[in-house]
Amino acid sequence: KPGTRFRDVLWKSDRDKILRKFSNEGYPYIQVRPEFNIDRENKFVDISYDIAPGLFCYFGEVSIAQHERTPGTVIRKQLAFKKGNIFKQNLIERSQLQVYQLGFFQSVSIKAMMNEPEKHAIPIQILVKEAPRLTMKFGVGYGIEENIRIYTDILHLGLFGGARRVNLFVKHSKLEPYNVNLKFIQPAALTPRTTLVLNSFVKRED
């Protein structure tokens, strides 16, 4: 604000806020150029921003790469935008989080392909790296109270197709003669950000 100490980090933060505001309102090609007028005698710096918003844009075609087992329809249901919607950068970030929360991928990247020349309809590329369909963990240990303890943890992705997964945990020790826990997990049950979990278990503790 006027009268506060000049610091590079502050005007850069303001510039980034301007960029983000416009990119979330359909202007991904926005360019902001700051200009400084330095008054050395009075120790003031006047700042003006030259803003070139560029084209007003929409989401274009959506392509998905490297999804061998996960149906593309499952991924598309997690997107916060559709082709023809006004382009908003925050919707890309939200979509990336929602796709990752399916629990099927080691990594998810969603990028706007803003290549030259500028286009009103911006193609979107989704690149995913799928996690192993079946994973199993097995452990053996010893403790003064538990004595020998053994456990196994099995996770299966894509049960009966779709985004469902099942998790089985089994443990045995002196304190827990048996502990069997079975979870059925349905991501995006009602909305892209909700998960339904059915949990059945049997356990004994001594």
Side-chain angles (χ1 to χ4, degrees):
K1 296 180 180 180
T4 57
R5 177 185 175 188
F6 178 89
R7 297 170 60 196
D8 277 344
V9 67
L10 295 182
W11 74 258
K12 290 179 180 178
S13 175
D14 289 342
R15 177 200 58 190
D16 293 342
K17 289 178 182 177
I18 296 172
L19 288 169
R20 186 166 184 82
K21 176 65 176 177
F22 275 78
S23 65
N24 286 334
E25 297 295 339
Y27 296 95
Y29 295 104
I30 171 75
Q31 294 184 3
V32 180
R33 302 180 183 88
E35 297 179 359
F36 305 97
N37 183 19
I38 303 176
D39 183 346
R40 299 183 182 277
E41 182 178 351
N42 297 309
K43 298 183 179 179
F44 280 108
V45 179
D46 293 331
I47 305 175
S48 61
Y49 293 98
D50 180 17
I51 301 175
L55 296 176
F56 185 75
C57 298
Y58 303 86
F59 286 105
E61 296 288 345
V62 178
S63 61
I64 307 174
Q66 296 186 2
H67 63 111
E68 298 177 358
R69 300 184 302 268
T70 308
T73 54
V74 173
I75 298 175
R76 291 178 185 274
K77 286 181 179 179
Q78 295 300 101
L79 301 180
F81 59 85
K82 295 181 180 179
K83 178 183 176 181
N85 291 161
I86 295 174
F87 182 92
K88 296 185 178 184
Q89 180 64 34
N90 57 356
L91 294 185
I92 293 180
E93 296 166 1
R94 186 195 305 174
S95 298
Q96 183 167 312
L97 176 61
Q98 291 177 173
V99 172
Y100 184 76
Q101 287 177 336
L102 286 173
F104 272 50
F105 310 106
Q106 294 179 340
S107 63
V108 177
S109 174
I110 302 181
K111 295 182 179 180
M113 309 304 289
M114 296 190 297
N115 300 322
E116 296 295 340
E118 296 181 0
K119 297 180 180 180
H120 287 284
I122 299 180
I124 304 298
Q125 183 186 68
I126 303 175
L127 182 64
V128 297
K129 182 179 180 181
E130 291 183 312
R133 182 57 60 94
L134 180 66
T135 56
M136 176 183 294
K137 298 179 181 178
F138 180 79
V140 178
Y142 180 84
I144 296 177
E145 294 181 343
E146 290 186 310
N147 291 341
I148 296 293
R149 59 178 180 268
I150 303 172
Y151 84 91
T152 184
D153 191 359
I154 303 172
L155 177 64
H156 186 274
L157 303 177
L159 182 67
F160 307 127
R164 290 172 291 274
R165 60 184 186 269
V166 63
N167 181 223
L168 174 64
F169 177 83
V170 181
K171 180 181 178 182
H172 167 75
S173 70
K174 183 179 179 181
L175 296 181
E176 288 182 326
Y178 53 82
N179 181 358
V180 182
N181 194 311
L182 179 65
K183 289 183 180 180
F184 175 85
I185 305 167
Q186 174 64 65
L190 300 175
T191 70
R193 305 185 72 174
T194 58
T195 300
L196 173 66
V197 179
L198 301 179
N199 189 190
S200 60
F201 63 92
V202 57
K203 180 179 180 179
R204 176 182 172 183
E205 292 182 347
D206 290 342

